[in-house]
Amino acid sequence: MKYSDQIGACLKAAGYTHYFYVGGGNIMHLTESLDRYLTGVPVVHEVAAGIAAEYFNEIAAPNKALALVTAGPGLTNITTAVSGAWLESRELLVIGGQVKTADLARGQVRSRGIQEVDGVALMQSTTKRSIRLEKPVPPAELLALFAESWTPRKGPVFIEMPLDVQAATVDDVPIPPAPSATATLGRAAEADIVNAAALYRTAQRPVLLIGGGVDYATAQALRARIVTSGIPVMTTYNGADRFAAEDPNYLGRPNTWGQRAANIVIQKADLIIALGTRLGMQQTGFNWQEFGRDARIVQVEIDQAELEKGHPRVDHPVCADANDFLNRLVAQPLPRKDDWLVEAQAIRARFPRIEDVNKTGEGYISPYRFIADLETITRGDDIIVPCSSGSAFTLSMTLYRQKLGQRVLTNKSLASMGYGLSGAIGAALAGSPRRTILIEGDGGFAQNMQELGTAAINDLNLKIFIFDDQGHASIRMTQRSYFDGKYLGCDTRSGLGLPNWDKLFAAWDIPVLRLPLDFLSDAAFRAAMDHPGLHAFIVTVDPEQTYFPKISSRITATGSMESNPIDRMSPEIDYLAEQAVLSTPTPA
């Protein structure tokens, strides 16, 4: 049989059901062969193939998707998507084409074959494995390469396939089972479980901080027990959908761009058990020395290097599978912490999600009110994709109250503009017929708006909301704060060319509606939201909209930046006075 056919059979055996691709001469055998084993989804630009596959894998698990790209520009175009999956520790298999082995430059010249770029070298710094196959390898070896993407710590795997290798003739042999992901996960020692439970029992104000390393399925299986036990829970952005916002023990999402109340709550904790989160600076704040200042910190993380990186301070590092650890921890006798839950919920009530500090010009929709209003009409099975950067992302992740059963998915670590639409396409295909809701800024949407064609031709059940504020709101706010409003390349007035959003969607015959101020009561809007299919909505946002509270930084005398800890967001409150109020016992 042809080797590209055997590759297709191996992919199917490994659980792959879809591949996202842009056709090219140097992958012609793979494109033709994979069509017989998997469902191919053509995209317009290769970066969309990688992003869509990443999001597909998060929603469709255990089913999988890969990205298939050609040589040269196909490889260079997908590097952003590979980098995003690398930083988020997410599964992504990329198979790239290459010129024939006889045409490889092998370092002697810059390029010998047409469109030749060394993809292996290009991908090396942001993949778990980057390898070129210069001859066919047996199915077991190929499956082992695939499996590196889903074994700890998850991440991208890049396999470069020269054209003559794809076309080689191989023996038609049985395909063995793919390696299991759970077989390689380390289990915490019983002493670590007992120690964490003991710390929890003696703590007055404990918090379980659940990250994306805790699988959605694990969290759902344990949720009822954790809720009924009154275990105080917070989530990272990547763990946002593991619990429902209305759960009585849920205390919010702390983050550098997080909720003021949640940031105060986690800083008041005397024990933080961080499960499946690397505790990066976005989570702890740039002033990571102040994170958990009064707490003992237990961090359960699959990567020993993350435990040893030195920030933040970790008192009890445990290199193990967070899912297994959580299962065994909640099986321990853990006393209720009702007094702490009451105190923490009082803090959340005192500092509401929408503070009366921001200004919205007349005739514009407040983006804060938009998020809060939109959530009231979302359904329990919706997939929410709040892009990956800028005000549309930070407001969604700060304000949105997730419902039980919803999935919330983003790529926050790379924080690249342009992720939203491609990610929503992958999520919508994986979650069909569920409704997918994308919230994206106009600047970010413009970076990958060519994929509207992919959304349209696949007739996705996707609702697209675009914040139309004439540019990059977060960059504009930075330039306003630090450079006295000297705007450079951040909006239409400073030279950024953006389309007429009301006209753009007609090119793909996609219905579009500019939202009225009272959009919740608008019959056309409600009908469009309820009707399955693709629809775009333009949210008119004030270009001078302010975005507070936020962590403030200042430029020091040496030119470096110094940030406040996460519980001192601007505009700052009278912290000592608030501490006195919040520490006063509530009358019985």
Side-chain angles (χ1 to χ4, degrees):
M1 67 189 306
K2 189 163 66 170
Y3 189 46
S4 55
D5 287 329
Q6 192 171 77
I7 292 168
C10 287
L11 288 166
K12 184 175 181 179
Y16 289 90
T17 59
H18 290 70
Y19 63 103
F20 295 88
Y21 72 102
V22 178
N26 283 308
I27 53 170
M28 62 182 185
H29 296 292
L30 282 165
T31 305
E32 191 276 333
S33 292
L34 264 56
D35 180 64
R36 288 195 293 275
Y37 295 90
L38 314 176
T39 299
V41 183
V43 295
V44 181
H45 191 282
E46 286 89 353
V47 71
I51 295 170
E54 175 198 327
Y55 280 54
F56 182 100
N57 292 337
E58 290 295 300
I59 299 297
N63 292 340
K64 309 173 190 297
L66 71 141
L68 175 65
V69 298
T70 193
L75 300 178
T76 59
N77 283 345
I78 202 173
T79 53
T80 294
V82 171
S83 300
W86 169 255
L87 292 178
E88 289 290 29
S89 302
R90 286 183 179 153
E91 180 184 339
L92 177 62
L93 173 63
V94 177
I95 298 180
Q98 187 53 279
V99 300
K100 298 189 301 293
T101 52
D103 296 337
L104 290 167
R106 302 192 185 282
Q108 297 171 351
V109 291
R110 289 192 178 185
S111 176
R112 190 186 304 276
I114 296 175
Q115 291 189 311
E116 183 191 359
V117 172
D118 187 343
V120 173
L122 190 68
M123 303 289 185
Q124 223 147 24
S125 67
T126 53
T127 53
K128 292 183 66 180
R129 174 69 76 92
S130 183
I131 186 173
R132 177 187 300 143
L133 298 186
E134 296 201 23
K135 62 180 181 180
V137 300
E141 188 175 337
L142 192 60
L143 288 166
L145 284 174
F146 298 165
E148 289 194 42
S149 183
W150 65 72
T151 51
R153 180 180 179 184
K154 290 181 180 180
V157 165
F158 171 69
I159 303 174
E160 189 172 85
M161 297 274 189
L163 189 60
D164 56 324
V165 177
Q166 301 170 36
T169 300
V170 296
D171 292 334
D172 186 358
V173 296
I175 307 298
S180 167
T182 57
T184 56
L185 293 171
R187 296 187 80 235
E190 187 63 24
D192 291 324
I193 305 293
V194 171
N195 178 59
L199 289 170
Y200 184 92
R201 283 192 288 270
T202 59
Q204 299 298 309
R205 299 181 301 280
V207 161
L208 260 62
L209 179 63
I210 303 296
V214 174
D215 294 338
Y216 180 80
T218 297
Q220 297 313 295
L222 297 175
R223 175 188 163 275
R225 181 170 189 168
I226 292 172
V227 171
T228 56
S229 299
I231 298 173
V233 165
M234 308 186 89
T235 63
T236 68
Y237 281 3
N238 282 345
D241 53 14
R242 281 21 175 199
F243 291 85
E246 67 266 19
D247 288 339
N249 62 324
Y250 179 74
L251 302 177
R253 294 187 291 271
N255 192 278
T256 297
W257 293 277
Q259 304 157 331
R260 189 197 294 267
N263 288 350
I264 291 174
V265 167
I266 199 165
Q267 290 291 76
K268 284 181 69 70
D270 60 2
L271 173 67
I272 299 171
I273 301 178
L275 298 165
T277 167
R278 63 189 178 94
L279 293 179
M281 289 186 186
Q282 189 181 109
Q283 190 60 54
T284 64
F286 294 109
N287 192 341
W288 52 265
Q289 296 89 341
E290 286 286 311
F291 179 75
R293 64 172 72 92
D294 298 321
R296 304 282 289 177
I297 299 178
V298 178
Q299 184 182 10
V300 182
E301 160 66 47
I302 201 66
D303 190 338
Q304 184 68 37
E306 292 288 358
L307 297 170
E308 297 174 351
K309 65 181 181 290
H311 57 84
R313 166 187 51 82
V314 176
D315 303 293
H316 303 277
V318 181
C319 188
D321 175 20
N323 298 283
D324 176 71
F325 192 99
L326 182 60
N327 261 300
R328 293 159 64 195
L329 177 63
V330 300
Q332 297 280 319
L334 301 176
R336 296 187 65 85
K337 302 292 180 177
D338 290 334
D339 289 346
W340 166 229
L341 282 175
V342 169
E343 180 183 355
Q345 296 294 11
I347 293 173
R348 299 184 76 202
R350 189 169 185 84
F351 301 109
R353 289 186 297 159
I354 302 177
E355 298 185 18
D356 187 20
V357 64
N358 292 298
K359 304 301 180 185
T360 301
E362 186 176 351
Y364 293 103
I365 296 175
S366 162
Y368 289 83
R369 285 262 39 109
F370 167 77
I371 299 295
D373 288 343
L374 179 66
E375 77 185 25
T376 65
I377 61 167
T378 61
R379 300 191 288 252
D381 64 346
D382 283 338
I383 301 169
I384 312 298
V385 179
C387 62
S388 291
S389 67
S391 59
F393 163 69
T394 54
L395 287 187
S396 298
M397 297 309 298
T398 299
L399 297 175
Y400 186 77
R401 290 175 56 85
Q402 70 282 5
K403 297 176 181 177
L404 183 62
Q406 289 183 342
R407 299 301 310 274
V408 180
L409 187 57
T410 183
N411 185 304
K412 63 173 179 53
S413 293
L414 189 61
S416 169
M417 290 190 292
Y419 256 69
L421 179 57
S422 300
I425 288 169
L429 282 165
S432 179
R434 297 165 66 179
R435 181 175 64 180
T436 298
I437 296 174
L438 167 63
I439 305 168
E440 175 68 282
D442 52 3
F445 195 87
Q447 289 203 353
N448 264 313
M449 60 187 174
Q450 77 282 341
E451 299 307 326
L452 281 171
T454 306
I457 205 163
N458 285 282
D459 194 24
L460 299 180
N461 188 12
L462 172 62
K463 311 303 179 186
I464 300 170
F465 292 89
I466 298 177
F467 282 12
D468 178 14
D469 57 14
Q470 302 172 34
H472 305 318
S474 59
I475 296 174
R476 187 163 43 216
M477 187 171 181
T478 297
Q479 293 178 351
R480 183 164 58 235
S481 299
Y482 293 103
F483 306 111
D484 297 324
K486 182 180 180 181
Y487 291 162
L488 298 170
C490 63
D491 58 14
T492 54
R493 289 172 295 180
S494 58
L496 182 65
L498 294 174
N500 183 320
W501 296 107
D502 301 87
K503 295 181 178 180
L504 174 74
F505 296 91
W508 288 276
D509 296 323
I510 299 171
V512 60
L513 172 68
R514 184 169 288 271
L515 296 187
L517 294 179
D518 58 344
F519 67 92
L520 278 184
S521 59
D522 184 76
F525 167 72
R526 298 300 288 261
M529 283 295 288
D530 290 338
H531 187 270
L534 183 60
H535 207 296
F537 305 96
I538 311 303
V539 185
T540 308
V541 175
D542 186 354
E544 298 300 322
Q545 173 72 43
T546 58
Y547 297 92
F548 292 104
K550 65 185 291 290
I551 301 294
S552 292
S553 300
R554 33 191 189 279
I555 302 176
T556 66
T558 62
S560 63
M561 301 291 286
E562 185 176 87
S563 297
N564 279 342
I566 60 172
D567 55 337
R568 296 187 67 88
M569 305 183 80
S570 297
E572 292 191 37
I573 58 175
D574 185 342
Y575 197 70
L576 293 177
E578 287 294 342
Q579 287 289 87
V581 171
L582 294 170
S583 299
T584 303
T586 303

Short mmCIF file of all heavy atoms in Angstrom, two decimals, residues 384-408:
data_model
loop_
_atom_site.label_atom_id
_atom_site.label_comp_id
_atom_site.label_asym_id
_atom_site.label_seq_id
_atom_site.Cartn_x
_atom_site.Cartn_y
_atom_site.Cartn_z
N ILE A 384 -18.80 28.90 24.48
CA ILE A 384 -18.46 30.32 24.50
C ILE A 384 -16.97 30.46 24.14
O ILE A 384 -16.11 29.88 24.80
CB ILE A 384 -18.71 30.95 25.89
CG1 ILE A 384 -20.12 30.57 26.41
CG2 ILE A 384 -18.52 32.45 25.84
CD1 ILE A 384 -21.26 31.06 25.56
N VAL A 385 -16.70 31.25 23.10
CA VAL A 385 -15.32 31.48 22.66
C VAL A 385 -15.04 32.98 22.75
O VAL A 385 -15.42 33.75 21.87
CB VAL A 385 -15.11 30.98 21.22
CG1 VAL A 385 -13.67 31.26 20.76
CG2 VAL A 385 -15.41 29.49 21.11
N PRO A 386 -14.39 33.43 23.83
CA PRO A 386 -14.11 34.86 24.00
C PRO A 386 -12.75 35.27 23.44
O PRO A 386 -11.89 35.75 24.17
CB PRO A 386 -14.19 35.05 25.51
CG PRO A 386 -13.97 33.70 26.11
CD PRO A 386 -14.03 32.68 25.03
N CYS A 387 -12.53 35.09 22.17
CA CYS A 387 -11.30 35.41 21.45
C CYS A 387 -10.07 35.11 22.31
O CYS A 387 -10.06 34.13 23.06
CB CYS A 387 -11.32 36.83 20.90
SG CYS A 387 -11.46 38.16 22.08
N SER A 388 -9.02 35.94 22.25
CA SER A 388 -7.81 35.61 23.00
C SER A 388 -7.02 36.81 23.47
O SER A 388 -6.01 36.64 24.13
CB SER A 388 -6.89 34.72 22.14
OG SER A 388 -7.45 33.45 21.96
N SER A 389 -7.43 38.00 23.11
CA SER A 389 -6.68 39.17 23.57
C SER A 389 -7.57 40.40 23.45
O SER A 389 -8.62 40.38 22.81
CB SER A 389 -5.42 39.37 22.71
OG SER A 389 -5.75 39.71 21.39
N GLY A 390 -7.13 41.47 24.09
CA GLY A 390 -7.84 42.73 23.99
C GLY A 390 -9.04 42.81 24.91
O GLY A 390 -9.33 41.92 25.71
N SER A 391 -9.79 43.90 24.77
CA SER A 391 -10.89 44.17 25.69
C SER A 391 -12.01 43.14 25.58
O SER A 391 -12.61 42.77 26.59
CB SER A 391 -11.45 45.57 25.43
OG SER A 391 -11.91 45.70 24.09
N ALA A 392 -12.30 42.65 24.37
CA ALA A 392 -13.37 41.65 24.23
C ALA A 392 -13.02 40.39 25.01
O ALA A 392 -13.90 39.76 25.62
CB ALA A 392 -13.59 41.32 22.75
N PHE A 393 -11.76 40.02 25.01
CA PHE A 393 -11.31 38.85 25.76
C PHE A 393 -11.33 39.10 27.26
O PHE A 393 -11.92 38.33 28.03
CB PHE A 393 -9.89 38.47 25.32
CG PHE A 393 -9.18 37.55 26.26
CD1 PHE A 393 -9.59 36.24 26.41
CD2 PHE A 393 -8.09 37.99 27.00
CE1 PHE A 393 -8.93 35.38 27.28
CE2 PHE A 393 -7.43 37.14 27.86
CZ PHE A 393 -7.85 35.83 28.01
N THR A 394 -10.67 40.17 27.72
CA THR A 394 -10.55 40.39 29.16
C THR A 394 -11.92 40.64 29.81
O THR A 394 -12.18 40.15 30.91
CB THR A 394 -9.60 41.56 29.45
OG1 THR A 394 -10.02 42.72 28.73
CG2 THR A 394 -8.18 41.22 29.05
N LEU A 395 -12.80 41.38 29.12
CA LEU A 395 -14.12 41.62 29.70
C LEU A 395 -14.91 40.32 29.78
O LEU A 395 -15.59 40.07 30.78
CB LEU A 395 -14.89 42.64 28.87
CG LEU A 395 -14.43 44.09 28.98
CD1 LEU A 395 -15.40 45.00 28.25
CD2 LEU A 395 -14.30 44.52 30.43
N SER A 396 -14.83 39.49 28.74
CA SER A 396 -15.57 38.23 28.77
C SER A 396 -15.09 37.35 29.92
O SER A 396 -15.90 36.79 30.67
CB SER A 396 -15.39 37.48 27.44
OG SER A 396 -15.90 38.23 26.36
N MET A 397 -13.79 37.22 30.07
CA MET A 397 -13.25 36.34 31.09
C MET A 397 -13.38 36.94 32.49
O MET A 397 -13.39 36.22 33.48
CB MET A 397 -11.78 36.02 30.81
CG MET A 397 -11.56 35.25 29.51
SD MET A 397 -12.61 33.77 29.34
CE MET A 397 -12.07 32.78 30.72
N THR A 398 -13.50 38.26 32.58
CA THR A 398 -13.71 38.89 33.87
C THR A 398 -15.17 38.81 34.30
O THR A 398 -15.47 38.51 35.45
CB THR A 398 -13.28 40.37 33.81
OG1 THR A 398 -11.89 40.45 33.50
CG2 THR A 398 -13.51 41.06 35.16
N LEU A 399 -16.08 39.06 33.37
CA LEU A 399 -17.48 39.26 33.74
C LEU A 399 -18.38 38.05 33.54
O LEU A 399 -19.31 37.85 34.33
CB LEU A 399 -18.06 40.42 32.92
CG LEU A 399 -17.45 41.80 33.11
CD1 LEU A 399 -18.07 42.77 32.14
CD2 LEU A 399 -17.64 42.28 34.54
N TYR A 400 -18.14 37.28 32.51
CA TYR A 400 -19.13 36.29 32.11
C TYR A 400 -19.35 35.24 33.20
O TYR A 400 -18.40 34.66 33.73
CB TYR A 400 -18.70 35.59 30.81
CG TYR A 400 -19.75 34.65 30.28
CD1 TYR A 400 -20.87 35.14 29.62
CD2 TYR A 400 -19.66 33.28 30.49
CE1 TYR A 400 -21.86 34.30 29.16
CE2 TYR A 400 -20.64 32.42 30.03
CZ TYR A 400 -21.74 32.93 29.36
OH TYR A 400 -22.72 32.08 28.92
N ARG A 401 -20.62 34.99 33.51
CA ARG A 401 -21.00 33.97 34.51
C ARG A 401 -21.38 32.70 33.76
O ARG A 401 -22.44 32.61 33.17
CB ARG A 401 -22.17 34.48 35.36
CG ARG A 401 -21.79 35.61 36.31
CD ARG A 401 -23.01 36.16 37.05
NE ARG A 401 -23.73 35.12 37.77
CZ ARG A 401 -23.41 34.70 39.01
NH1 ARG A 401 -22.39 35.24 39.65
NH2 ARG A 401 -24.11 33.77 39.59
N GLN A 402 -20.46 31.74 33.79
CA GLN A 402 -20.65 30.50 33.04
C GLN A 402 -21.76 29.65 33.67
O GLN A 402 -21.94 29.64 34.88
CB GLN A 402 -19.34 29.71 32.99
CG GLN A 402 -18.89 29.09 34.28
CD GLN A 402 -18.23 30.07 35.24
OE1 GLN A 402 -18.18 31.27 35.01
NE2 GLN A 402 -17.72 29.55 36.36
N LYS A 403 -22.49 28.95 32.80
CA LYS A 403 -23.58 28.09 33.25
C LYS A 403 -23.14 26.64 33.23
O LYS A 403 -22.26 26.25 32.46
CB LYS A 403 -24.81 28.30 32.36
CG LYS A 403 -25.37 29.71 32.42
CD LYS A 403 -26.53 29.92 31.46
CE LYS A 403 -27.05 31.35 31.55
NZ LYS A 403 -28.14 31.61 30.58
N LEU A 404 -23.78 25.84 34.05
CA LEU A 404 -23.46 24.42 34.11
C LEU A 404 -23.70 23.78 32.74
O LEU A 404 -24.77 23.92 32.16
CB LEU A 404 -24.31 23.72 35.17
CG LEU A 404 -24.02 22.23 35.39
CD1 LEU A 404 -22.61 22.02 35.88
CD2 LEU A 404 -25.04 21.63 36.37
N GLY A 405 -22.69 23.10 32.23
CA GLY A 405 -22.79 22.45 30.94
C GLY A 405 -22.18 23.23 29.80
O GLY A 405 -21.92 22.67 28.73
N GLN A 406 -21.96 24.53 29.99
CA GLN A 406 -21.32 25.33 28.95
C GLN A 406 -19.82 25.02 28.89
O GLN A 406 -19.22 24.62 29.88
CB GLN A 406 -21.52 26.82 29.21
CG GLN A 406 -22.93 27.31 28.97
CD GLN A 406 -23.08 28.81 29.16
OE1 GLN A 406 -22.22 29.46 29.78
NE2 GLN A 406 -24.17 29.37 28.66
N ARG A 407 -19.24 25.20 27.73
CA ARG A 407 -17.80 25.17 27.57
C ARG A 407 -17.32 26.58 27.27
O ARG A 407 -17.95 27.31 26.51
CB ARG A 407 -17.38 24.22 26.43
CG ARG A 407 -17.79 22.77 26.63
CD ARG A 407 -17.21 22.15 27.90
NE ARG A 407 -15.78 22.34 28.04
CZ ARG A 407 -14.85 21.54 27.52
NH1 ARG A 407 -15.23 20.48 26.80
NH2 ARG A 407 -13.56 21.78 27.71
N VAL A 408 -16.22 26.96 27.89
CA VAL A 408 -15.61 28.28 27.69
C VAL A 408 -14.18 28.03 27.26
O VAL A 408 -13.41 27.40 27.98
CB VAL A 408 -15.66 29.13 28.97
CG1 VAL A 408 -15.02 30.49 28.73
CG2 VAL A 408 -17.09 29.29 29.47
#
